[in-house]
Amino acid sequence: MELSIEIFILATLAFGLMAYVIGRLHKQLGSIMTILGSLTIFGGIAYLGFTGGLTGETAYLTFTQFEISEFGLFFAIIVSFVFAMVSFFNPFFIKQYKYPALYSMLFMFSLAGAIGVFFSSNLLYLFFFFEFVVWTSLFLIPMGRSKKAASWYYGFSAAGSFMLLFAILMIYNANNGSFHISGIGSVTGTTQIIVFIFMSGAAFTKLGAFPLHIWLPKVLTNAPDPVSAVFSGGLEKLGAFVALLAIVNMGGIGFIIPSIDMYFGQMIIATLGALTIVFGTLMAIRQDDAKKLLAYSSMSNGGYILVGFSMLTSQGVAGGLYHIVAHAIASTAAFLAIAAVARVAGTTKMKELGGIIHKMPVTYMVYLIAIISMAGIPPMGGFISKWMIFQAVIDKGMIFIAIATVFGSIGSFLYVFRPLAALFLGQELPQFKKTVKEAPFFMLLPMIILSLLSVYTGVLPGVIIDFINKIFVDMQLNYNIVMNGFAIEGYTSGIEGVGPSLLNPLLIACVFGVGVFVAFLIFIVLKKSKKIDLMDTYTAGNFVYTEEHLHYSVDFYAPLERLYEKYIHIMKNFYKSLANKVREFGAFMKYFFFTNKPEITVFWIVALMVFLLWGDVL
Amino acid sequence: MIEILMNIGFGLGVATFGFVLQTAMGGINRKIAARLQKRRGPKWYQEFIDIFKLLSKRATSHGWIFDFGVIMALGGIIGTAMFMPITSSIVAFEGYDNFFIFVYLIAVGMLGMAMSASGSGNPLASIGVMRALTTMLAYEVPFMVVVMTIIKLTGTSSLTGIAVAQQTGDFNWFMIALPLGFIVAVMSLMGMLGKKPFETYIAPAEIASGPMVEYGGKQLGMLFIMHEITIFIEVSLFVHLFLGGAETIIMFLIKYFIVYAVLNLVSNVLGRFKIDQVVTFFFKWPLFFAVVQAMIAIHLGWVI
Amino acid sequence: MLQFAAIILLMLGLYGLLTQRNVIKIIISLNILEIGLNLFIISVGYFEGGLAPIFTSETPANPNFVDPLPQALVLTAIVIGVGTTALGLALARKIYQKYGTLNLDEMGEN
Amino acid sequence: MKNFLALLAALGLGVLIILSLQNNTLFNEYGEDVTGRDSEEYGDREYGEENPASGPANIVTSIVADFRSFDTLGEITVLFVSSLGVALLLGGTKQKRLDLGFHPNFMLRIGSKALFGIILMTGVYVTIHGHLTPGGGFPGGAMIASSMLLLYLADDTFRAKIKGFKILESVAGSLYVLIGIAGLFFADYFLENFLNNGVVGDLLSAGIIPLIYVLIGLKVGSEISGVIDNFLTEEVV
Amino acid sequence: MSAILLIAVPLLAAFISILVKKVSPYLLLLVSLFALVYPFFMDMSDVIIGGFDSPIGINLVVNKFALTSLIAVNGLFFLVVAVNIAQYKKLSSILLVALAGLNGLLLTGDLFNLFVFIEISGIAAYLITTTNKKPLQTFNYLVAGTVGSSLYLLGLIILYNMSGTLNMADMATFVEGNGMYTLFPFLLMFIGLGVEAKLLPFNSWVKGILGHSNNLSGAMIASVYATAIALVFGKLLAGVFQIEGTLALIIALVLGITILAGEAMAYASTKAREILLYSSIAQAGIVILLFTVGLGAWATFFAIANGVSKFILFGVVNRLTEEVGSDEMDQLKGSFVNNKLIGVSFTVAALSILGLPLFFGFVVKMNSLIGFFEPDFVSNLPGGNFIFPIIILVASVIEGVYFVKLLTKLWYKDSDVKVNFTPLFKYVVVVLAVALIVFGLFQGEVEELVASLINPGGVFIWN
């Protein structure tokens, strides 16, 4: 069955408009439309994608051309899957929004834009869809808590997308007048360097990587809960897509550094990626708001993707791609879990929450599996991608990047555990005893699917590794990941007699299962323990009656935070001062040029004439 | 399929051997420490007695997460131990004993224990967990840098591969080949084992023995088993990485005893760090030496 | 010579605009500027020994007239000057009605 | 200090302009022969010639009213708009004469009436002979208005009938445009001189041009008088 | 039917309208409708006035460019008049003269005639701004305008002295060879027109006029006059002017600073009208830049798109300020909550100015930027081909930030102020917004429309 991708984009737009029209009549129905819409789109793309039924010819949107590429399909499936899962939450959150119908429409429009970006082969119309996503998602943010986040978001993503535009136009100029996507590869000399710098700039802004990350925590904290899930799971992958084009598709940039045989350009990207990881982890550890913490975690995971891509080895790039899948699933699940809690408890501040597990155990399990994958612990998908990225980093022998990646993964244990302990576990606060109840079935369904997927990608990586290999073939990169049986082969060492380092996730899962079974046996065999109330705890001496005093969730990592407390606002202050400089420049010009006295104009006229004649006469 | 079952059985055997070995070693070292303090110290099998006494007691539980956490912790550690090679030939799963599996599966154990500790409702447990995780962050990073140097040099990340590399003479023992790395590894190992200078998170004197405060009866017993097997994993990891593994079990036992005894002696005479001192300490000198060692080994290629 | 005088007048007009604070004086300096300009326009068309561009009974056979076009242009320029000055003065009177003063500095910032 | 700096800048600029115009080879010096320009064609006729291309003896008038009469049309629109503007700004429903504290004695009031006639006559003369002698619609109109100004100044209670000026102004303006449109329909160019040019130098020569100049004279006269009236009166409040 | 009627008929109506005061508003509506419809029927030949061809007489240039600009300007004029005539009956004859002046501006082929029409439309503009009840600001505008036009005339006369002709086409051929002599007169003419086109050092009047604008004067100055002046100035820059040497440096500096400073000033201001006026200064700078550099065709449509968007933005903001009393952003917040239709069209206009997809602004901005990157493109301004696109892009980022701030304040804050817009205004604004979207979607047709303005060699046809 053949269907052009253009039909899908138009269908999504049509769904959006339908959602708007129905949304005006009845809020809930409108948001249910978004569920139907995104599910059909995801189903369609995934099914046709795998059976090769997608074609690129355009009947209606004649000004642009589409081309079904493997990596386009890869991203499209992930993003539409994330949209589909998150759309399940829309009906439950629609009541909080000022413009519910508009919300559903823009939700579908940003999906349409994203799909457009991944499949368009004409660079200018890649930018067209890129900008389309920016402004449609822009109006989703203010529906949440703060209004300032929207202008920060637009400022950074406009800067990013205009950098992308400048790069595209440089390519257009270099390949004398062609916008085809293959033009990226065929750029050489200084234009290649300029294009590389600007495109990675665009990727950095969209991914929220180090130098340009200020908007990510602001937006993901203040946007409505489903929107932040969509942002961190889906829209961030646009940045990864551009990063793939910029870093991998263009090949090495600049001279090769002999000791670690890496291109200079890629080295810079890797270092910035490492800084993103470290900065993201440090900031995440000290956050009190769960959503802000997850925002910084998706920032640091973005750093992993960048480090992976910039290794330019099969392990590295595959690790990056795999990490995109694992991170998309894990962070969407985590955000949805926090959203479920926020819907019922009203706040995501860890200070005010505690002991949600007793009323929402399933959400807790979903969140547990999500953070295990985000921290990169074995049975889950995150481990495999981090393992591959470590392999690549060590194979290149890059010590400082290695330190950053290790610090990032160990640090992720800390910051993922913090919401677990403060939000879910610990004393059950009285005010939540009555109000909090388990999320309804339709909210649990996507979360459970995401967790199962997390486990699946962790245990049986076969399908995704084949897809990644197909991408490498499609992008004419001579990379390949060897799979023998269920194990992934790491890089082969120089020393003979020593086989390649193997990772058999299925085996690890079984062994872990066996271990847990044995522990369970031990537990069951022994005497049954008496269940006692949570309040009845071993407190030396004085007895405490109120739950709040027995719940430790305020500044959880105090000793660690004290170490770097002074430096956390460097980047934010830098951008604030930049904005102020523009404002001061504007105010000065206003004061200087726009007084009520006409002599300013005459003065400048005389000045310009003197300036011209001076050169001419003398 | 049978062959996999055989391997799993063999793995379980390795795990129990680990548990028995470490508990015995624990007892013996208790006696050595006592001799240091001019007293006789308890019998060498004292630790066995403690564990089995605890397992037989009837205990209290703070809800399903409290128990599920303990099971997951012990299960994770047993799973990790199953992968551990005893000697370069005796290993449960040929070729799959990847170094990263150990680091991350220990994390599963840690996470399980932390989860149940926080689930117990006692704030002291949560503080203990917080301290454990912070210390882990501190000692793990320098250790990983050194191990990465080793992996870069030997080219493989499987433990048997590294052990074989040291035995077959390509490299002599990394204890000698990478002196600075070895020192850093010792310090991290003491952090891992929770020995004296870095044991703020489980020290009884600090906050009622940290995370374990709410446990009793079988849960505490299971956690003790988990603790013993963790020490076994970490010490044998150290042995394989730095002391060239072992051809025969006896060699392995001797090396194991030497490492564990020396560590115990050193830790008995030292004081105890405050938590943020641990982090600053590990990120100051050990990390510096680890980086210097890595630079020398990888980029300049000076390996003794 | 006439052209230099015209340019100097132009510059005086500009000087007036640069320094004067009184509304009427600004209008006057505008006029000076326009007069200078008109003088300049006229001077463009003149040449030594040129005749006035009017046919009379005494005009010689093929007369070399002065260039008549600038004179036509200056006619228009003068009337435009009158138009803008009339409007300026009307505005000056409205300003006086509103602010009670004609000095720009005393009008405050609004 | 600021004034001195401004003077310095202005004069310096003047000197610079003069110098640059001087050493600019293309710029013909003042008083240099300019006979080679296109504007020769404006005057290719002689005195007494029968029906030449452009009728009026005064070449400037032929440019103003015939060759570039579109400029003049624009010209009177400018005056029309500014007088309208002044009326809009200052004019009100009921106006009374501004009391400037100057009360002329009896002699001046009567004497000015006599002088008024003479000035008016010269104005009309200048307008009518626009195509023969220097002058024409604009100076003539100004003279007509100055006669009106004389009456205003001489007699502080005098107020002309503004209504009449408005009608005169509007009729003259529309007639001018209608002539132009008539030129378009009768002789396929807007504002073309479709009448016979007669003999150069006669009073009744140069087709529609004297007619246009008379209309312009009346229009300019009425507009400027309207402006004078607006300035010398204030709204009855 | 020759194009001269476009000027003659409004003039005739103006002269008649002062007699019959009562009927003049309807006359104005009728004539401006005629001016909008007539260009579609008139024949496309150059018009000679008074029977004498170009070197001696005056001719009107009627080509595709003139036709497009006429339709755009007359269209916007008709909309402004239709929406505001009920409130400003007194100004109908002045508006008629303004219409004649604007049409004359766009059509005339003679440089001195252009000066006359600049004066006509200028004085009409001064009178329109007197409705703001701010005589001092109008006075400043008058002084600046007069100085500007006098300098333009001075430059023109110097050029006449050198070339001997006043006609644009002949002047262009004269200037072709000896560009280096004509630097000073062209600077004078650039300054003269720069004052009207709101370029930075000369536009101190803009804040006074547009800052206190009302429904009529705001829309008229910001959209109708801005588009007309930009197109005429562009025609001169593309055709007649020969820009090189220090003149090119000055023009590059002026344009660069206008664009960047315009955006910075808008970013620094908190009053809604001030934001819009500084953004229109920057947009004017971009349009003039595109004309100077030779991308005339797309510059025309950039000016028209900007004109349409500014019509909507100024119309809405002025109406809100009239109701709310002050145009401070915080007072206006939440005013779209209870009139969504106006809000949506306002957002469409704002997003089109930012150049976001699906809107006409995107098509125009992208193609103009692509113009800079054509392989065979050589910019006559110093600083290579890529410095100006960077300036435009940086400016659009700053522009984006303050527009988003404005939009979020207007949409997402809730306030009790209930502003009612006249149904006619709503209808007009929605139609324009839909036009912006339709033009944005059908990019193929827009490109064909633009192609007609360029001769096969890619050079912008201006006469």
Side-chain angles (χ1 to χ4, degrees), chain A residues 266-292:
Chain A
Q266 268 60 13
M267 172 64 174
I268 301 285
I269 299 286
T271 340
L272 286 178
L275 279 175
T276 317
I277 298 171
V278 168
F279 197 77
T281 318
L282 285 178
M283 288 304 280
I285 288 172
R286 67 183 311 283
Q287 288 314 329
D288 174 49
D289 182 346
K291 271 172 82 174
K292 198 157 196 168

Side-chain angles (χ1 to χ4, degrees), chain B residues 197-258:
Chain B
F198 312 109
E199 61 160 3
T200 24
Y201 60 93
I202 49 167
E206 282 291 323
I207 27 152
S209 80
M212 313 273 198
V213 71
E214 266 308 306
Y215 292 95
K218 66 180 175 185
Q219 283 92 349
L220 190 58
M222 287 168 78
L223 284 181
F224 268 172
I225 298 170
M226 181 203 103
H227 189 62
E228 296 304 343
I229 300 176
T230 326
I231 295 172
F232 161 72
I233 293 168
E234 279 147 4
V235 173
S236 49
L237 201 67
F238 186 81
V239 163
H240 285 291
L241 285 174
F242 288 93
L243 303 177
E247 287 85 7
T248 62
I249 294 185
I250 301 117
M251 280 295 293
F252 176 76
L253 291 179
I254 296 162
K255 286 184 185 171
Y256 189 95
F257 177 73
I258 294 164

Side-chain angles (χ1 to χ4, degrees), chain D residues 24-28 41-42 66-68 70-71 74 77-78 80-81 84-85 88 167 170 173 177 189-190, chain E residues 4 7 11 15 18-19 48-52 56 91 93 97 110 112-113 117 120 123 127 161-162 166 178 181:
Chain D
N24 181 335
T25 53
L26 281 179
F27 187 78
N28 328 64
E41 278 167 51
Y42 290 127
D66 194 1
F67 290 104
R68 298 184 64 95
F70 194 51
D71 273 352
T77 332
V78 164
F80 166 75
V81 166
L84 200 64
L88 185 78
I167 297 162
S170 146
V177 176
Y189 287 121
F190 183 73
Chain E
I4 189 64
I7 303 165
L11 269 186
F15 293 143
I18 59 165
L19 274 187
I48 298 159
I49 298 172
F52 301 92
I56 310 153
L91 289 174
S93 32
V97 170
D110 183 279
F112 186 76
N113 201 282
F117 278 115
I120 294 173
I123 292 181
L127 290 172
N161 187 325
M162 296 185 202
L166 283 174
N178 30 40
Y181 296 104

Side-chain angles (χ1 to χ4, degrees), chain E residues 52-382:
Chain E
F52 301 92
D53 202 351
S54 70
I56 310 153
I58 298 167
N59 67 340
L60 298 184
V61 172
V62 184
N63 57 12
K64 263 299 195 193
F65 171 69
L67 188 70
T68 336
S69 28
L70 270 175
I71 294 166
V73 170
N74 288 346
L76 284 174
F77 187 89
F78 173 68
L79 289 179
V80 169
V81 160
V83 166
N84 295 314
I85 195 60
Q87 221 175 346
Y88 297 95
K89 279 195 168 43
K90 295 213 301 320
L91 289 174
S92 26
S93 32
I94 290 171
L95 285 171
L96 274 169
V97 170
L99 178 64
L102 289 174
N103 286 346
L105 217 58
L106 296 173
L107 282 171
T108 177
D110 183 279
L111 284 171
F112 186 76
N113 201 282
L114 182 64
F115 166 71
V116 171
F117 278 115
I118 289 173
E119 271 308 313
I120 294 173
S121 44
I123 292 181
Y126 307 148
L127 290 172
I128 291 168
T129 51
T130 53
T131 55
N132 298 349
K133 299 285 179 291
K134 294 275 179 191
L136 183 62
Q137 276 70 12
T138 319
F139 180 74
N140 277 337
Y141 186 16
L142 183 131
V143 168
T146 322
V147 168
S149 46
S150 320
L151 291 179
Y152 172 85
L153 186 57
L154 181 65
L156 176 60
I157 292 305
I158 294 173
L159 273 180
Y160 171 72
N161 187 325
M162 296 185 202
S163 65
T165 160
L166 283 174
N167 186 285
M168 282 195 196
D170 309 345
M171 183 69 82
T173 45
F174 162 76
V175 163
E176 209 62 55
N178 30 40
M180 60 120 162
Y181 296 104
T182 60
L183 290 189
F184 180 55
F186 277 142
L187 175 71
L188 287 173
M189 292 171 85
F190 180 80
I191 294 172
L193 287 167
V195 170
E196 276 301 317
K198 305 200 278 248
L199 297 184
L200 190 65
F202 324 110
N203 56 6
S204 63
W205 56 271
V206 173
K207 174 168 187 259
I209 296 297
L210 289 177
H212 309 287
S213 63
N214 53 38
N215 288 349
L216 178 70
S217 71
M220 187 60 89
I221 302 289
S223 82
V224 178
Y225 267 77
T227 323
I229 300 283
L231 293 176
V232 173
F233 197 8
K235 183 162 87 166
L236 281 182
L237 282 168
V240 177
F241 276 31
Q242 191 72 32
I243 297 165
E244 53 196 54
T246 38
L247 178 64
L249 178 66
I250 291 179
I251 291 179
L253 275 177
V254 162
L255 290 179
I257 294 171
T258 309
I259 297 170
L260 285 177
E263 301 298 358
M265 286 187 269
Y267 183 69
S269 38
T270 55
K271 290 197 171 66
R273 277 187 301 197
E274 254 182 50
I275 292 176
L276 293 182
L277 74 90
Y278 290 126
S279 125
S280 57
I281 288 173
Q283 297 291 318
I286 294 177
V287 167
I288 302 300
L289 169 71
L290 291 176
F291 272 113
T292 335
V293 156
L295 304 165
W298 279 109
T300 327
F301 281 89
F302 199 105
I304 294 168
N306 178 34
V308 170
S309 312
K310 282 294 181 308
F311 172 86
I312 300 175
L313 295 177
F314 266 97
V316 170
V317 164
N318 279 323
R319 183 74 191 91
L320 289 176
T321 326
E322 198 178 28
E323 201 72 21
V324 162
S326 108
D327 68 347
E328 201 62 47
M329 266 211 288
D330 301 332
Q331 261 80 17
L332 292 183
K333 67 181 181 348
S335 32
F336 285 162
V337 169
N338 29 37
N339 29 34
K340 291 206 167 37
L341 210 57
I342 295 285
V344 166
S345 355
F346 186 92
T347 319
V348 163
L351 294 184
S352 157
I353 285 188
L354 294 185
L356 292 177
L358 275 195
F359 302 112
F360 190 35
F362 173 80
V363 173
V364 166
K365 188 173 265 192
M366 281 315 118
N367 284 296
S368 323
L369 284 173
I370 290 172
F372 276 99
F373 287 86
E374 288 299 338
D376 48 18
F377 169 76
V378 170
S379 140
N380 54 12
L381 290 182

